Amino acid sequence: MMNSHLEMEQVLNYLAKLAQALLANGSTLEHVEYAIEKNAEAYQLTELSTVMTHQYVSICFRGTDGNTYTKQLDISGISINLENLRVLNNIMHQVANHPIPTEQLQNILDQVENTKKYKLITTVLCQVLAITSVCFILGGKPSDMIATALVSFCLFWINRALSRLRTDKIINNIVSMFLGTVLSFFLVKVGLIADTQWTLISISLLMIPGIPLVNAFRNLICGHEFNGILQLLNVFLESASLAAGMYFAVILMGGAGAW
């Protein structure tokens, strides 16, 4: 049984960072709560209390030494990464079933940093191929598919540059959709495509927050009404920002009728 203050602090740091990592990589609140509960039971912690949103996580428990421990961490942003979630789930089950010494908890989460990273060129080509396929499925012509590929290729680098600035997602959406729409109109100007319909629809589907929308309804159904409403509001604002970026670009270019 653990009795030292240091051991309790090590477990607390591990639980808080585990919850933070799970949420940051796209896990649902129910799964994170389950993971924290099972890992806390493995170390015989009692009176566990967790407060989680998609902006922060707070964990409180009574340790085996009789003292109460609390820690809160912010979540800077959420990026869906299924490979990281797989590694984190393996860590969670490993610790829950076979508790390891607390001093090793500080390094076990470092396994996430060793997950497979795809080369940048692979990521770019897969994104371009996926969006071009959407254009084809929607009924776009070969010229529309070429235009969609060019615009999605440019948007990849635009989004990458914006992510480095760490600006808000809503601002990023406005800028990205604005530039994507301007590029589409430019391709009409040079004669590659007759109109921007298929290209704009395809790149919009790339940027619409589909998984967060599903998670929002899941939270509402599972009893996390507060978080579900916050997520729905966030999805609405992000979707509205895409429409705003497109609207500003269309107005700037003289309106859709001018093309």
Side-chain angles (χ1 to χ4, degrees):
M1 179 180 293
M2 303 174 299
N3 292 309
S4 74
H5 178 79
L6 176 60
E7 289 176 321
M8 290 295 100
E9 288 289 347
Q10 289 171 336
V11 175
L12 176 63
N13 288 333
Y14 162 74
L15 292 177
K17 290 180 179 179
L18 175 64
Q20 182 190 46
L22 285 169
L23 289 171
N25 283 283
S27 183
T28 61
L29 293 171
E30 298 81 26
H31 181 70
V32 178
E33 290 178 348
Y34 171 81
I36 299 305
E37 178 182 344
K38 290 300 181 182
N39 279 238
E41 289 178 357
Y43 289 97
Q44 303 177 6
L45 307 178
T46 58
E47 300 180 23
L48 176 68
S49 176
T50 59
V51 178
M52 301 180 191
T53 70
H54 286 80
Q55 284 75 43
Y56 77 95
V57 55
S58 177
I59 295 178
C60 178
F61 61 78
R62 183 178 297 278
T64 54
D65 59 354
N67 295 321
T68 300
Y69 297 85
T70 303
K71 190 178 184 67
Q72 177 175 316
L73 292 176
D74 293 329
I75 300 171
S76 58
I78 296 177
S79 178
I80 309 298
N81 191 316
L82 299 181
E83 181 63 18
N84 284 352
L85 286 178
R86 183 187 67 80
V87 174
L88 289 168
N89 285 333
N90 288 340
I91 292 173
M92 180 269 290
H93 288 296
Q94 174 188 344
V95 174
N97 296 326
H98 306 285
I100 63 176
T102 58
E103 62 271 13
Q104 297 180 16
L105 291 173
Q106 304 305 304
N107 300 320
I108 192 171
L109 292 177
D110 292 341
Q111 295 179 24
V112 179
E113 301 299 326
N114 299 324
T115 56
K116 182 178 180 180
K117 302 293 191 301
Y118 293 99
K119 294 182 179 179
L120 188 60
I121 185 62
T122 303
T123 305
V124 175
L125 291 177
C126 287
Q127 176 174 303
V128 171
L129 178 61
I131 302 307
T132 304
S133 299
V134 170
C135 181
F136 172 75
I137 293 172
L138 292 175
K141 300 177 181 178
S143 59
D144 295 315
M145 295 170 61
I146 294 174
T148 300
L150 291 173
V151 175
S152 61
F153 178 81
C154 294
L155 280 180
F156 176 88
W157 296 106
I158 292 171
N159 289 327
R160 184 175 174 84
L162 290 172
S163 65
R164 292 182 177 180
L165 297 176
R166 297 185 180 277
T167 52
D168 187 78
K169 179 68 173 178
I170 293 176
I171 302 300
N172 290 352
N173 283 351
I174 293 175
V175 174
S176 297
M177 201 63 196
F178 175 85
L179 294 176
T181 305
V182 171
L183 286 172
S184 299
F185 277 113
F186 176 76
L187 294 177
V188 173
K189 181 69 174 179
V190 299
L192 180 59
I193 52 178
D195 59 66
T196 61
Q197 176 182 355
W198 302 116
T199 299
L200 292 181
I201 291 175
S202 299
I203 63 174
S204 296
L205 293 176
L206 164 69
M207 303 175 68
I208 289 176
I211 294 180
L213 178 62
V214 173
N215 286 341
F217 280 107
R218 177 185 174 87
N219 283 330
L220 288 173
I221 294 173
C222 294
H224 297 277
E225 291 85 0
F226 178 73
N227 288 303
I229 292 173
L230 286 179
Q231 282 185 288
L232 277 178
L233 179 60
N234 189 59
V235 168
F236 171 78
L237 291 175
E238 289 186 12
S239 301
S241 67
L242 296 175
M246 183 184 297
Y247 174 79
F248 293 146
V250 171
I251 295 301
L252 178 66
M253 302 303 288
W259 300 82

